[in-house]
Amino acid sequence: MRVRVAAVQMALGADSTANIRKATEMVRAAAAAGAQVVLLQELFSSLYFCQDQDMAHFALAAPMEGHPAVVALTDLARELGVVLPVSFFERAGNSYFNSLTVIDADGRNLGLYRKAHIPDGPGYQEKFYFSPGDTGFRVFHTRFGRLGVAVCWDQWFPETARILALRGAEILLYPTAIGSEPEAPEIDSRPHWTRVMQGHAAANMVPVVAANRIGREQGRCGEITFYGGSFITDGTGALLAQADREEGFILADLDLDQLASARLEWGLFRDRRPDLYGPLLSFDGQA
């Protein structure tokens, strides 16, 4: 099966309705260019509110079934016949999660993934808002392939990518919100951010799609400039397409059958030694 994938990056404002409308316009444009799977950035219906600890921001959360972003993108996926992973701020009873649901090309909701790794640092204070995800790492069987999904900080952990690959993912998708460091503006993590995911693709021989946001967003105590750089790799980690800091989308074609044959021929999964990997289950590597 050949699949055309897209990654969208855009600047956002304080009006959630306008952000969702902008996202739908970008998806329409990507679909018109032939995209069958379109990845939007992390928490695209709002500004990146995690810069500050503010109780008022909890009002942005909603259950999956009625979340405005999920509702709008479900209708759009059905209309356009495309697969849409949708990142959103989820309220579940008294708990809150940084979540993602995958909408298949017929508009069916295939299920939920809750972000497992939650960062906490200057400008990225996500632990104030989100509980650690309790879904485990999930692969979704869609019309256009088996998609392994994770969210932003998850992308720095090779264990995430390996588990998704072991569970049959044919493409790894990472919606993202990353940019400057408020207390260390001289740091540009974009090259490191790109390379770590190229490594996931190469180590698992599974292509990666990453969609990051762009634009300068002001918090109460600082600001972040999101650097974009959304990209798509092949199964060796080589870049097939990469955006700069401008708004828009990128496209790449993937041959899933050819990739599956290459993984089988290379023997990476045949030669694994899970009996030796017990130390991964501990924090200090001694278990």
Side-chain angles (χ1 to χ4, degrees):
M1 176 192 298
R2 293 187 64 83
V3 176
R4 178 165 289 185
V5 297
V8 170
Q9 61 180 39
M10 57 189 183
L12 300 167
D15 185 335
S16 292
T17 300
N19 292 335
I20 294 170
R21 182 168 58 248
K22 188 175 189 177
T24 62
E25 291 168 356
M26 298 290 275
V27 171
R28 286 187 184 280
Q36 296 159 305
V37 178
V38 183
L39 182 65
L40 292 156
Q41 62 217 41
E42 181 184 20
L43 300 172
F44 64 84
S45 62
S46 68
L47 294 170
Y48 183 72
F49 53 87
C50 305
Q51 287 195 60
D52 306 304
Q53 295 186 14
D54 187 340
M55 292 296 296
H57 292 322
F58 283 99
L60 295 168
M64 179 177 68
E65 292 77 8
H67 195 287
V70 176
V71 172
L73 274 295
T74 296
D75 293 340
L76 189 64
R78 183 185 301 111
E79 175 192 345
L80 300 177
V82 298
V83 175
L84 298 177
V86 181
S87 170
F88 68 102
F89 187 9
E90 181 195 8
R91 185 178 76 244
N94 288 318
S95 296
Y96 293 80
F97 298 95
N98 188 336
S99 296
L100 181 146
T101 187
V102 175
I103 311 300
D104 208 351
D106 59 2
R108 286 183 302 128
N109 187 313
L110 299 181
L112 184 69
Y113 167 69
R114 290 169 171 162
K115 184 174 179 178
H117 301 94
I118 310 298
D120 187 33
Y124 300 89
Q125 300 181 65
E126 295 195 16
K127 280 188 168 67
F128 180 77
Y129 297 98
F130 311 127
S131 293
D134 56 1
T135 60
F137 301 113
R138 301 197 59 192
V139 174
F140 297 90
H141 293 239
T142 77
R143 182 183 298 179
F144 300 116
R146 297 188 299 274
L147 307 183
V149 298
V151 179
C152 200
W153 193 228
D154 290 330
Q155 67 207 357
W156 294 87
F157 297 86
E159 296 87 351
T160 301
R162 176 50 57 91
I163 290 170
L164 292 171
L166 288 172
R167 290 184 168 173
E170 296 175 294
I171 308 171
L172 302 179
L173 299 105
Y174 296 101
T176 302
I178 187 171
S180 59
E181 301 295 330
E183 295 189 358
E186 73 280 3
I187 294 176
D188 179 8
S189 63
R190 177 174 156 179
H192 185 187
W193 171 78
T194 304
R195 287 193 298 269
V196 73
M197 284 179 281
Q198 287 181 274
H200 299 334
N204 294 288
M205 298 187 72
V206 176
V208 163
V209 183
N212 191 21
R213 67 172 61 200
I214 60 167
R216 175 179 170 272
E217 297 188 16
Q218 183 69 48
R220 277 205 313 253
C221 303
E223 66 180 42
I224 297 176
T225 299
F226 295 95
Y227 49 62
S230 301
F231 66 90
I232 303 168
T233 78
D234 67 10
T236 71
L239 293 174
L240 297 175
Q242 185 167 31
D244 197 0
R245 299 173 190 267
E246 73 283 353
E247 197 164 76
F249 62 88
I250 54 174
L251 297 163
D253 294 317
L254 303 173
D255 187 330
L256 301 186
D257 295 327
Q258 184 181 63
L259 287 160
S261 294
R263 282 192 296 274
L264 185 62
E265 182 178 8
W266 207 251
L268 288 174
F269 295 94
R270 177 199 64 206
D271 296 340
R272 292 181 67 252
R273 289 293 307 277
D275 55 311
L276 300 179
Y277 303 157
L280 290 175
L281 300 179
S282 66
F283 281 105
D284 63 2
Q286 299 304 312

